[in-house]
Amino acid sequence: MAAVPEPPAAQSEAPASAAASAPSLASVSVSIPVPIPVPVPVPVPALAATPSPTPSPTPVPTPSPTPTPAPGPGPAPSPAPSPSSTPSPTLVPKVEPNESPAENHKPGPVPAPAAGPGPAPSPELPDKQTLLAVLQFLKKNHFKEAEEILRKEANLQESLDESLLRAAGQRGSDSVHQPDVSSVLSAYSNEGDPSLYEEYYTGLKGFIETALDAFKAELSTLLYPVFVHLYLELVYNEHEREARHFFHKYHGDQEGYYHDDLRVLAGLSKKEHMQGNETVLDFRTSKFVLRISRDSYQCLKRHLQERHNNQIWNIVQEHLFIDVFDGMPRSKQQIEVTSGGMAGEAKREANKTKVFFGLLKEPEIELPLDDEDEEGENEEGKPKKKKPKKDSLGAKSKKQDPNAPPQNRIPLPELKDSDKLDKIMIMKEATKRVKLGPDCLPSICFYTFLNAYQGLTAVDFTDDSSLIAGGFADSTVRVWSVTPKKLRSVKGATDLSLIDKESEDVLERIMDEKTACEFKMLLGHGGPVYGTSFSPDRNYLLSSSEDGTVRLWSLQTFTCLVGYKGHNYPVWDTQFSPYGYYFISGGHDRVARLWVTDHYQPLRIFSGHLSDVTCTRFHPNSNYVVTGSADRTIRLWDVLNGNCVRILTGHKGPIHSLVFSPNGRYLASGATDGRILLWDIGHGLLVGELKGHTDTVYALKFSRDGEILASGSMDHTVKMWDTVKAFEDLETDDFSTATGHINLPDNSQELLLGSYMTKSTPVIGLHFTRRNLLLAAGAYNPQ
Amino acid sequence: MAEEKKLKISNTLLPTESMKVIAESIGIAQLSEETCQSLTEEVSYRIKELAQDALKYMHHGKRKKLTTVDIDCALKLKNVEPLYGFHAQEFIPFRYASGGGRELHFYEEKEVDLSDIINTPLPRVPLDVCLKAHWLSIEGVQPAIPENPPPAPKEQQKVESTEPLKVIKPGQEEEGQAKGKGQGAAATDGKGKDKKKSLLDGGVMKLKPRTTHELSVEQQLYYKEITEACVGSCEAKRAEALQSIATDPGLYQMLPRFSTFISEGVRVNVVQNNLALLIYLMRMVKALMDNPTLYLEKYLHELIPAVVTCIVSRQLCLRPDVDNHWALRDFAARLMAQICKNFSTTTNNIQSRITKTFTKSWLDDKTPWTTRYGCIAGLAELGHDVIKTLIIQRLQIEGERIRTVLEGPVVSNIDKIGADHVQSLLLKHCAPVVAKIRSPPDNQESYKTDYGYLGPMLCTHVVKARAQAAMQAQQVNRTTLTITQPRPTLTISQSPQTSRAPSIIKVPSSITLPMQTLVSARPSTPTQPSPPATKFIMMSSASGSSSTQQVITLRTTPCGTGSTSPVTTTVASIQPIVKLVSTSQTAPSSTVTGSTQKYIVVSLPSASESKAQSSNNSLQQHSPK
């Protein structure tokens, strides 16, 4: 299979796209001042590679010759964070710990002036330490260039990322850089009497309990981070017994959604454990963000001053980011809806950047063609069908959405002839689309995978619903044709050379009839396949696997074309851009990577999540990607500059499904807690909550016009939700963006349009056909 | 959230002994306590870490069970070589052993002979993955096809039928909210109204999804087969059909049809006095009630009239003097009691309405004896409280009425039989209750003053009931307790049906044959897969094992009066019953002429499990005469 030569058809297509995009790609990386993460080796060659060595435009037919992206010595490159996108503690004007609280409250409440990545003003002692540690690390690993640059920059700018070190620590397979990590942890060394810790905590708890009701809810959010940090300090200072006692006495106070993290922390009993523990490093290196009103903050400050409670004050200063806002304190419910993230809520300014959530203008070429076809095809239904079509299409193509990004904000591949034909098909189908609503629910066709003993782990449908791909735990990917058209691969090279290339039906002739069958198996991965995605033109299939690779398969030859190596750990999800060419992947190494098919190294690395990136999706306009993570947050990233433009908190469990509404304005997300949250991308706000599932929501999909959201879950049900109604109230409401006081109506029952149970099949894939028939998929699981 | 908060996280550690054992197993003999301690801490921590990582793999593998493969992957993540040879698909069959105060779970590894493995033929190749499509929903309605789960579990049916308002509640709340919002946001009036309207519409629409439901072809076939079998002539088929109704989970959609079938069937057959068919239909009701997946509330408006008809109808058979329509009335009365017990709520008030209906027609002087019997039976089955408050109060009047018929000038034979049956029924049901409410010294005279004509007979019954109760208490303490609970009475009520129904069904017109069928059917019933048989076995598990024995012995000597054949351990319980039967046989025969029905009453010590059996006995004994 490996030695199959490239068939001419594939070749003629692949270079075409490559040729079209290669120069444009160059323009991406050249024109955009990507904040090059200095100490990170991987992105540098990746971006540099564009003009120079490897524009191997033809995808390499076999995975083996693919140059590995030089994973660097040791684990350092994988979690490579770009400083601008991480919630780096240095973004915040830091408070000198030795200043008296009275003076230093100011920088806290006043939000950082620069919304974007601003250099922190004052160099400090602990930062210097880390800086030294990093330099040491670089030196040790012979990253000379990076080291030099760092040295140069360190004098000018202090924006050094501690998370780099965290990264270094968490992948600590080799012990060389262990000392560096401990230097990071050393911030915990400010010794206090271990027996007093309990008193500190109860003191704070008592204060909160006696506080005014208005403040109580806000202040009680403080308990969890303080609890964690007190505990970690105890562990770090090797007061094992006290730590354990402290933990067991008070962990019951904490909210249920923190229990996953607490369970991890509970296992810690020794200082040594802390060094390799990711959760600890998350807490240590990222500040826990709390949003409280000015009044509550004053109240807290006064209390801490009165008590001279330095220990708590230190924690608040060092490990917490208190985002103070003016106005009414929030109620318990209001806090509840957005809490749950591993590192607290999102800072307000994190969601201030403008997001172009509108759709790109559709190319207009096909309209006349379409008309013609329409006329030829149907005689009687002409007047009826013409009208809506002109309305919908005309409006779309003429008016530019004010929220849409400029057409050429990121370079997109040019349309091929086959794409245009496909577009015409889409429009034709669209005219026959069923208008859905509460009175007109879609039919659901359920594709059950039978005998899937090895475990079905991923499912994807092509946009035209002709193919289904399944990823299995036994490392295979299988592609089924669900139309009568069977899957055929292209003939071998010798046979191909005999074909008359001028003939009309050359595309038909190159196909090998002997290979026609209903499904094809793709072998190549070395571990369970966790993500599959078809390219929009149905020529390629992506799959991501536990073996750390993303593979690109040709659906012409049914062979692997490229293995993209970069994630050294399991890749949980991958998806093609709606325009093709780009794709995104995210994995256990906590980063999401943006790739293009003709480069073996990623173009962008989106780093900032505090835990595994569990799912990745492209925005319909391809300018943004959204990632969900096991740290219970969702982040929206700008493809153009790699910045994180939205951080959405509110889920209480790892996120396992994401989907954008077809108009690009809303996002729906599902998590292990069985809830589905609806987000307004433009404002970065939580706008709805759909409760009903009792287990992880693995599949979400909006209908073609966005009126209905379908959700599929481990609880064996497909549910349908009325999104028109869910979003209806929002249009009239003016958003309280400034405060983030979100009052969610509890109307899940009302929005639920239908719930359909399967016999014993968890629903892990959903898809709306172009005519709004809902397809669902899952593997039958005999009990 | 409160529940989650209770969740306790404990930091468990492996015992240090394990470390020692493992160390020894790899040849490290002396391991200091301190080393063990730190080892166990370290190992526990690592294992927890692994488990947490493995959980991630489980989630991404879209599974609910953690498998060994997940652990392997987690190990791989830590750069540790996975454990080979632990690829159990479902679970690891740990075995448990304890001893010497220690508990141990271990993985049993048998030694395997390689040649055995080589010589065994290859297992069948598992089927390959395949894709199968079906309609999960068609325009919002889930079709009832084998690929879809049986619709609507019982709880949901119950909620739907008992709390129909619950569905629209959120809508109503929302309406209020929308109103408030409309005002607050200073929305235009028109818009506010629109909103309200749409919400109202939505609510109404949700309340009544007016879809005409069509049965699938398979369901239609099933319906046809079942209904035909239920009223057909083949008893074996009927038993199968009834069992299907009583156990199949997917009948929810056919319930309305069954309900209509029964109600129409009763309507027609009452007019035609077709006793057999009425019995068959009642058995269908019973089977429907027994089905654990069906909730009949919605169909009671059809079922209750049908059942009540079978209880109180003036005439149920063509020859009321010969046919045993009394059994049908008893059976239907028990069904009614069960319906009341299962479905009576404060909103539908079934029990009180039924009670009123029965009482009203009972009080009416013109009521014929048949209906009278039905009313009393219906009331009596509703429980001791009802007997106490309604029946015992009227014993005197009723006794007088019976006396006029039985001892007065000769009236129609039918009336006489009717009065006779009513009398035995009253005695049967009242005795245990009277036994409870009166204190021991049972005096014929005082009974006579209190209860009139029936007094003396009642007195003897009460004495026996007491003796029986005492016996039962001796035998099993539990029985006295369970008597007061509704459940045992339920099982009791079922058991007579098992014995009577077949007897009647076989040859409904004769009275002598039932005995034979009974006798012959008895041993065969347990072997039959019919639901009555299972019921019977269940019942006998409590204390009836002795009773079954009893029946069998009676069968061998059908007319044996003193067939004292005590069997094995439960001698105590058997003998009294037999004794009772024999004595009662003599007693009533002297007082009452002709009517051997007394046996039933006499042999009923209390509402215990033996009742059913003893009534059979009496039937048997009486009939050959």
Side-chain angles (χ1 to χ4, degrees), chain B residues 8-20:
Chain B
K8 272 279 173 203
I9 298 165
S10 58
N11 192 10
T12 14
L13 294 176
L14 294 170
T16 49
E17 293 92 60
S18 303
M19 296 301 125
K20 272 206 182 117

Side-chain angles (χ1 to χ4, degrees), chain B residues 31 46 116 138 151 205 214 245 300 470 498 535-536 551 570 585 593:
Chain B
L31 210 58
R46 296 294 166 202
D116 279 358
I138 296 170
M205 193 206 71
E214 281 177 16
I245 295 179
L300 289 183
T498 66
K535 286 284 147 43
F536 172 73
V551 172
T570 46
Q585 204 178 8
T593 51

Side-chain angles (χ1 to χ4, degrees), chain A residues 61 93 141 479 504 598 708:
Chain A
N141 290 286
V479 182
E504 278 288 296
D598 55 4
I708 279 180

